[in-house]
Structure formats: structure tokens, C-alpha cells
Amino acid sequence: MTTDGTTYLPAPDVLWSHAATLAAWSAEQLLPVHNYRHDEAGLRSEDVGNGWWALSWVEDGRAVLYGIDHDYSETVSLSPPLDLLADGPSWLPWQWLDEVIAGGEEIGFVYWWDGRAWGRAPYPAEVRDDGVRGMVPADDSEVRQVCADLVADGADPDVVREREAAHRRAAALTNRAPVLPAGHGEPADRRVPCWLPEQHAAVLAVEMKAATELNRPAPPPTPAQERLIAWLHTNGHRTGGSSVLSAAFVDAGDTDYGRGADGFLDELGRRIFGEAATLLTALRDAEADPERGRWLYIRITVPDTDSNTDTDADPDVDANANANANANSAIERGYDCLPDWWPARRGVVAALPHTVRLEMARRAAHWRPNWAELLEEDIRCNGAPARLCR
């Protein structure tokens, strides 16, 4: 069931009361459940392996809630990465939140309270749980659990009740809570953490998908092209009256996806081996241009013919069939963008940042598309532009 934290969460003063009660108690002794602490930004639960959450006040009675459930926050590994501040109001403490989110700890949810209701960034359909329901208590059940556990451990019930009352009174003094200054609008150059290789690849794919091919001449026919089409005509998997081979190039020097030798991936992200890989390599080499570079994606479609493919067939008949296949085949190449015909499947890497970077470095500068500037940035260190995230 989809978790909707905006309807699950109580108002921030209720959350603060429960957490501040436990923070006052935690200052005296280690508690049997989540411990809490005050810091310069507000209140935070201690991470005991399964996650944590924190609450900070913002000017004019507003607040932000953030944290992660390490087991259930489905927001942290999406590709492209999810922008947890998307559609945030202008009053958010943007710079401070950016520093929190990029500070080395994964964040699974961010909610903001405008004085009347909670809000958050929109989630894609596949996110069923962001972790807030499992991590943030909607009532004072943790306070009651602490009391019960302390009594079970041998503490005097009357003393426990006295301490609970004292800590609840201390928690009520919210006027001593730190208050963050309100922001003045979303920064134009905001970044989103992008730590995983597949997230980096997905960010690049978004940029490449929006691009178009530069105006380059079509490569001339070559013997390598004829050999590949003939092989596909004879050996390809036939569907819908044609044999189709789609491939994405992988550079041997790709630190994430290379395997020590140049190669190709199919549309499901599987390595292409054998004669198909050899023929694809020969075609890419034959069509290489020292200035314009080489293609990154290719799709070859060879229509069926009525030829006899038996090994004892008349050589002249086979030759004619191959000639017909070559004449009627279609080859589509992607040099400067992620082609529309390259399938977009969840969990399958569509663009390979290091491979693409190496290819662009070998081209003349005026044959590099505008998005190639993205390759010069350390995305996995500095984050991805928010406009390219989900």
C-alpha cells in the first residue's frame, strides 16, 4: 500500500513533544528504544541501524521533517535520482537543506509544514514507501514503550512516571527550540546527490534523450556492412518478418561497464558475444571518422526473403538473397543522442558515462554535442543538475 506521509503525519508540535520528551530522557540515560538528541538545527533520533528522522523549525511556525528508513525508503536508489525538494515552496531553507541532503548521509524523505499541512516532492508511481511511516511515530507510543521497558527492567513504576512527567514538561518548552531562517526561493544551480553508477548513467540518458543528431553525412556502404547484414539475414532472431539487431557500444576503458575489451550491450543490457560482436566491431571501425567520431548505438533491420538457407543450397541463390537483404535492410545509428528507438526499460542502463566521455574526447570539438559539457562534471561527487532528476 502506498505510504502518504502528508496524511499520516501529525502536526510538527505533536512530533516535537514526543521526540523532545525522549531527548530529555536520553540526556540522562540510554533508552531501550530510539534515543533522541537536541542539536543546533532541532531534534534528531539516533541511528540504530534501521534509520533516523529529524525535525527542524523554520520561521513563522513552519517546519521541515527529514530522515530515512534503511530498510524501506524506496526513494534512495531510483534512476535517475529522485529530487526530494522538487516543487518545494520558496520559504524552504534551501541552502541548509541542500547541505543536509548532500552531506554524506542518504536521505529517504523530506516533508515541509507550511503552518496548515504537510507537503513533499511528487513521487513516481513505483515508490510505494518512502520510510516515513515506519520511522516517524504518529503518536507517543515510543514514550509509552520506554516507560514499559524501564519498569520491566526493574525500575520503580512511580519513579518512571515522575521522570516521564518531568520530561514532558521540559518538552513543552518549545520556545527554546532553534529556528532556521526561511529561504527566498529555489537556487537556480541546485544539485541532487547522484552516487550510484546507474544513477549517473540515467542522468546522462535524460540529457542525451532530449538531444538530436548533428548534421553529418551517412557512412558509405562497406564490406563490413555487407557481412553483418548477411550474417543477420542467416542467423538473426526473426520477429514480425524481419531480423533485428540492436547494440550499444561499450569502451574497454569504461571503469563501470567495460570488461577489458571493447564490446556491445543489447537492449536488455546483456553483453553481446561471438560473431555478432566481431562483426559489429568491424563495422564500427570501418565507419570511423577521425573528426566526426563513431556511433554509440546501432539498429540493423533485415527483412526476410524467400531464400533457401540450407547449407546445400545453390550458392547463386544465396548470393542473390544476401544482395536483396542488403538492398532492403535499414541501419540506424546514434552518434550524438540516445535514439528514440533505443528501448527505455526500468533497471537497464541506457547510457554509459565513461564510454561516452571517451568517445567525445576522440572527436573534433565541433563534432561534440552541447550536452557533452555534462561529461566534464564530476556528477557522482558534486551531484546532478536538478532538472535532470525525477
Side-chain angles (χ1 to χ4, degrees):
M1 182 175 64
T2 301
T3 293
D4 184 0
T6 60
T7 57
Y8 163 77
L9 292 169
D13 57 335
V14 176
L15 289 176
W16 185 276
S17 174
H18 302 156
T21 297
L22 293 175
W25 219 327
S26 299
E28 293 183 352
Q29 67 183 101
L30 191 65
L31 300 180
V33 293
H34 277 165
N35 286 268
Y36 289 78
R37 60 179 169 83
H38 291 273
D39 60 24
E40 68 280 359
L43 279 170
R44 172 170 169 155
S45 70
E46 297 290 352
D47 191 335
V48 292
N50 61 327
W52 57 272
W53 65 275
L55 179 66
S56 298
W57 291 102
V58 184
E59 287 177 327
D60 297 329
R62 297 172 291 207
V64 288
L65 172 75
Y66 49 98
I68 186 172
D69 187 319
H70 294 304
D71 296 320
Y72 296 106
S73 289
E74 299 174 355
T75 53
V76 299
S77 57
L78 297 177
S79 297
L82 177 64
D83 179 8
L84 293 173
L85 301 184
D87 295 348
S90 61
W91 58 262
L92 279 182
W94 287 95
Q95 183 175 353
W96 179 82
L97 276 172
D98 275 343
E99 292 173 357
V100 169
I101 293 173
E105 285 187 292
E106 284 188 317
I107 305 291
F109 53 83
V110 176
Y111 288 79
W112 46 82
W113 174 265
D114 64 3
R116 298 180 304 276
W118 289 105
R120 61 159 171 78
Y123 291 167
E126 63 263 36
V127 174
R128 298 171 300 171
D129 192 349
D130 64 2
V132 72
R133 185 181 291 269
M135 191 53 51
V136 182
D139 52 30
D140 67 348
S141 57
E142 284 192 345
V143 178
R144 297 194 304 271
Q145 187 64 50
V146 166
C147 295
D149 288 347
L150 290 175
V151 170
D153 287 342
D156 185 312
D158 292 334
V159 173
V160 170
R161 283 193 292 272
E162 289 175 3
R163 299 313 301 155
E164 176 193 1
H167 297 318
R168 286 188 183 277
R169 288 193 296 272
L173 301 176
T174 57
N175 61 314
R176 295 187 298 182
V179 177
L180 299 173
H184 302 285
E186 178 180 356
D189 57 350
R190 196 166 56 80
R191 296 276 169 153
V192 176
C194 185
W195 293 315
L196 302 175
E198 56 268 30
Q199 290 180 321
H200 186 190
V203 165
L204 178 61
V206 172
E207 191 81 316
M208 291 178 66
K209 194 75 173 179
T212 56
E213 289 290 322
L214 300 177
N215 186 19
R216 62 178 67 236
T222 64
Q225 175 180 310
E226 294 179 3
R227 288 192 294 271
L228 178 55
I229 290 174
W231 180 88
L232 187 58
H233 175 247
T234 303
N235 302 283
H237 180 69
R238 289 176 171 80
T239 56
S242 299
S243 297
V244 180
L245 177 62
S246 300
F249 174 69
V250 185
D251 196 287
D254 192 313
T255 53
D256 290 317
Y257 302 100
R259 294 187 178 180
D262 288 350
F264 300 89
L265 301 179
D266 69 9
E267 62 271 25
L268 295 178
R270 302 171 299 193
R271 193 84 172 191
I272 297 175
F273 294 103
E275 192 170 2
T278 300
L279 292 169
L280 285 167
T281 298
L283 177 62
R284 192 168 185 270
D285 289 343
E287 295 181 348
D289 183 274
E291 284 201 352
R292 296 189 295 270
R294 309 181 185 201
W295 47 261
L296 293 162
Y297 304 90
I298 193 166
R299 181 170 70 172
I300 308 107
T301 304
V302 179
D304 289 346
T305 67
D306 295 329
S307 66
N308 180 4
T309 58
D310 187 87
T311 56
D312 295 328
D314 186 332
D316 291 334
V317 174
D318 281 348
N320 289 335
N322 287 335
N324 290 335
N326 188 67
N328 296 321
S329 65
I331 301 183
E332 301 162 277
R333 302 167 181 85
Y335 294 85
D336 312 307
C337 68
L338 183 59
D340 290 337
W341 45 261
W342 187 261
R345 290 185 171 90
R346 193 179 352 161
V348 177
V349 171
L352 310 179
H354 198 182
T355 287
V356 177
R357 184 184 299 111
L358 292 170
E359 164 60 23
M360 295 302 156
R362 297 183 183 112
R363 296 183 184 180
H366 57 281
W367 282 106
R368 299 170 191 161
N370 292 336
W371 55 259
E373 297 177 358
L374 185 67
L375 298 168
E376 305 305 317
E377 302 182 30
D378 192 346
I379 296 294
R380 282 156 72 175
C381 178
N382 300 324
R387 62 183 177 80
L388 300 179
C389 299
R390 303 179 76 165

